Amino acid sequence: MSFSPKAMIYIAATARDISARGQKYAQGLPSPCMSVCHMDEASGLCQGCLRTLDEITVWGGADEAQKRRIWQAIEARVAPRLAAAEAALFDAEGL
C-alpha cells in the first residue's frame, strides 16, 4: 500500500484543525481531495485523501455534518499511517 507522504501529512493537519472546530473552517469544510485519485485495492481507500468510494461519491451533495463525519473517519484512518508517511518523506528528502 503506497499512500502519498505529503498527502498524509496535509490530511492529518487538516483533520486535526477541523476536529478542533476553530474559526479557520467556519465558512465550510474543504474537500479532502489531494488530486492523487488512485484507490488502494487492499484497503479500499484513495491513496491521496483516504476516503472510500462511497465517501468520494457523496461529498459534493453532503451537508456540513456529513462532511465533518467524513473528516472524522479520515482522521481515524490517517493516524496509523502518519508516522510511516513522515518517515518516508524525510528519507526521500534526505533529512
Side-chain angles (χ1 to χ4, degrees):
M1 150 171 54
S2 177
F3 292 92
S4 166
K6 287 183 181 180
M8 293 302 98
I9 293 167
Y10 172 80
I11 289 289
T14 303
R16 279 191 302 266
D17 288 347
I18 290 169
S19 287
R21 293 185 181 263
Q23 292 299 315
K24 185 174 184 178
Y25 299 111
Q27 298 300 316
L29 298 175
S31 171
C33 184
M34 299 298 296
S35 298
V36 172
C37 306
H38 188 309
M39 299 306 287
D40 178 72
E41 289 184 31
S43 67
L45 302 173
C46 173
Q47 291 180 353
C49 67
L50 296 178
R51 287 183 291 173
T52 65
L53 281 175
D54 288 342
E55 291 167 342
I56 292 167
T57 301
V58 302
W59 184 267
D63 62 18
E64 289 296 303
Q66 189 172 16
K67 288 179 179 181
R68 190 168 296 281
R69 285 191 298 275
I70 292 170
W71 269 109
Q72 288 170 339
I74 292 167
E75 184 174 27
R77 294 173 191 144
V78 76
R81 294 170 173 86
L82 186 57
E86 287 175 334
L89 181 62
F90 291 133
D91 286 346
E93 294 185 3
L95 300 174

